[in-house]
Amino acid sequence: MTRPHRTRVGVIGAGPAGLLLGHLLHRAGIDTVVLEARTRDYVERRQRAGILEQGTIDILRACGAGDRMDREGLRHDGIELRFDRQAHRIDFPSLTGGRGVMVYAQTEVVKDLIALRLESGAPLLFEAEAVAVEDFDTTSPRVRYRHEGDEHVLECDVVVACDGFHGIGRRSLPAHALQVFERVYPFAWLGILASVPPSCEELIYAHHERGFALHSMRSPEVSRLYLQVAPDEDVDAWSDARIWDELATRFAVDGDWELATGPITDKGITPMRSFVAEPLRHGRLFLAGDAAHIVPPTGAKGLNLAVADVALLAELLLRWFSEGDEAALDSYSRQALRRVWRAEHFSYLMTTMLHRDPGQDSFAHRLQLSQLHYTVSSTAAATTLAENYVGLPTV
């Protein structure tokens, strides 16, 4: 195999952020190399988010990556909040000027972007583990990586770390270079995939005295559901029957609605945390997506923040390559973090409004119920939720 040794932009990570950045830059004539530590099969099967906000939909369409999304994705114009055995719908278009979201799994976005990358012939190396980012404070940063048993060096003009929370990109930086903000929540999600048609047309967010539950979907034939559990929960302690019984209890409403059940094909535990590492630029090394920030999944912002990061960074890099506009690159961290912190706040509010903290007293629970009642009865409060959920314009 002929391996590239020099490129303008070296991208670490072939998740949606890295692949989309590589695609956007390649379309503009900028040479890129994308390195991914895992196999293609692993990357294409890795279960993550499934909600695309309006801005993400628009970006994928504009860059030619939205054809299958438009054919197979499920447009949603609202969500349902359930509490006190009552269901309340939040209508997005009427509150946001016609905006909505799309249910289209991250696995499918990744498959689409990989196909475009391979079709273009631009370098994409799987099982290529980046082990160090060097000289990022010079004009010639380098990525050391292992591929097929040997170590190689990729020389770059710019390195972008899209390699996730545990990736080498952020870990290559000295501790004093970063200001870290973090909150770990005292609960987790038990998530399942089930071969059963969804029991709802739109997502259901349920607040219950036993804990939070979420009903989502991946397709008209596949449901994705979640239960709030303890962070140290043993997934093997949850039989299929126990999972379905608990979901039915937490989703229960007065009326004839029933939860459809079926074979569970996948289950796993997802911890809950909020995390931001600032700044996002360090010389010629840039952080994007989960390498820079994590949000609890309650607000459906993780994938969308990653897309917003790299869409902005691609625009700024193009200005820098074509005009030498260093000020544009300097603005990346400031511009991206404004959006990041808005999403962090929204995700925090959704999480604390809907989950039961194990140490929560009755006063805190009453405050949650008050906020839920206000959200579904006030146009102003519902608009705030809807605007943030479908995605605010770039700021």
Side-chain angles (χ1 to χ4, degrees):
M1 172 184 290
T2 301
R3 296 179 185 85
H5 298 287
R6 183 77 176 83
T7 189
R8 303 191 82 178
V9 180
V11 181
I12 308 173
L19 290 166
L20 179 60
L21 179 63
H23 179 62
L24 293 171
L25 293 176
H26 178 78
R27 280 168 56 94
I30 303 297
D31 292 336
T32 63
V33 174
V34 179
L35 305 174
E36 168 55 48
R38 302 282 194 165
T39 66
R40 178 180 178 181
D41 181 69
Y42 178 91
V43 171
E44 292 186 339
R45 291 175 179 269
R46 182 169 45 195
Q47 293 295 328
R48 291 292 188 272
I51 305 296
L52 308 184
E53 64 183 36
Q54 187 68 60
T56 299
I57 296 167
D58 296 341
I59 289 168
L60 292 175
R61 284 173 176 162
C63 74
D67 291 350
R68 192 162 71 94
M69 173 192 72
D70 282 330
R71 292 196 308 270
E72 301 178 12
L74 305 175
R75 163 85 180 193
H76 280 198
D77 287 330
I79 60 171
E80 187 176 290
L81 298 179
R82 289 191 179 184
F83 57 96
D84 282 350
R85 299 185 64 87
Q86 300 297 317
H88 309 266
R89 183 172 184 268
I90 305 294
D91 183 83
F92 293 157
S94 67
L95 298 167
T96 66
R99 294 162 69 83
V101 297
M102 183 85 75
V103 173
Y104 190 63
Q106 178 170 314
T107 52
E108 306 313 302
V109 174
V110 167
K111 290 174 186 176
D112 295 342
L113 291 170
I114 287 175
L116 288 171
R117 183 79 181 178
L118 296 177
E119 181 182 337
S120 75
L124 168 57
L125 277 65
F126 290 103
E127 299 180 79
E129 180 187 7
V131 296
V133 181
E134 301 172 339
D135 300 330
F136 55 82
D137 53 353
T138 74
T139 58
S140 302
R142 304 185 303 169
V143 180
R144 291 193 175 275
Y145 68 97
R146 296 191 189 98
H147 188 233
E148 296 183 343
D150 295 319
E151 188 168 291
H152 308 273
V153 175
L154 179 65
E155 298 179 351
C156 314
D157 294 328
V158 167
V159 176
V160 183
C162 303
D163 52 345
F165 182 77
H166 299 289
I168 194 62
R170 192 181 70 251
R171 290 192 288 116
S172 294
L173 296 166
H176 65 78
L178 290 168
Q179 187 173 12
V180 172
F181 305 87
E182 185 170 20
R183 171 161 296 185
V184 177
Y185 296 89
F187 37 75
W189 279 9
L190 168 60
I192 67 166
L193 277 176
S195 297
V196 58
S199 305
C200 51
E201 295 183 358
E202 297 172 335
L203 273 66
I204 301 173
Y205 288 77
H207 170 90
H208 191 272
E209 62 182 12
R210 295 177 61 88
F212 168 76
L214 171 63
H215 193 321
S216 182
M217 63 283 294
R218 286 292 178 264
S219 74
E221 296 79 32
V222 177
S223 295
R224 181 73 162 153
L225 301 100
Y226 301 91
L227 284 168
Q228 176 188 341
V229 297
D232 59 352
E233 194 76 36
D234 180 4
V235 70
D236 292 332
W238 287 82
S239 66
D240 290 8
R242 182 187 178 192
I243 290 171
W244 288 120
D245 286 347
E246 189 65 25
L247 285 166
T249 296
R250 297 189 193 184
F251 286 126
V253 290
D254 293 334
D256 58 1
W257 185 88
E258 291 187 9
L259 176 67
T261 65
I264 294 175
T265 58
D266 183 75
K267 64 178 75 170
I269 303 291
T270 301
M272 305 282 281
R273 65 153 40 96
S274 300
F275 175 89
V276 181
E278 299 183 8
L280 307 187
R281 180 187 183 183
H282 302 267
R284 295 289 181 88
L285 170 62
F286 296 82
L287 306 179
D290 287 0
H293 42 74
I294 298 286
V295 291
T298 325
K301 291 298 162 206
L303 168 61
N304 296 293
L305 274 183
V307 168
D309 284 351
V310 297
L312 170 63
L313 184 55
E315 176 186 338
L316 300 177
L317 283 170
L318 292 177
R319 285 169 55 184
W320 182 67
F321 280 120
S322 63
E323 305 168 17
D325 189 349
E326 195 73 27
L329 290 188
D330 282 339
S331 73
Y332 167 64
S333 187
R334 173 180 54 81
Q335 291 192 67
L337 283 169
R338 287 181 65 184
R339 189 179 192 91
V340 167
W341 279 110
R342 175 88 299 275
E344 290 283 357
H345 190 229
F346 174 66
S347 298
Y348 167 80
L349 291 176
M350 288 286 285
T351 300
T352 55
M353 179 174 69
L354 290 162
H355 291 74
R356 292 299 304 272
D357 189 315
Q360 178 176 293
D361 59 20
S362 58
F363 183 84
H365 184 219
R366 289 294 185 180
L367 292 179
Q368 284 181 310
L369 291 173
S370 174
Q371 184 61 39
L372 284 162
H373 281 291
Y374 177 60
T375 300
V376 301
S377 62
S378 163
T379 301
T383 299
T384 295
L385 189 155
E387 285 182 342
N388 282 273
Y389 199 97
V390 304
L392 294 167
T394 302
V395 292

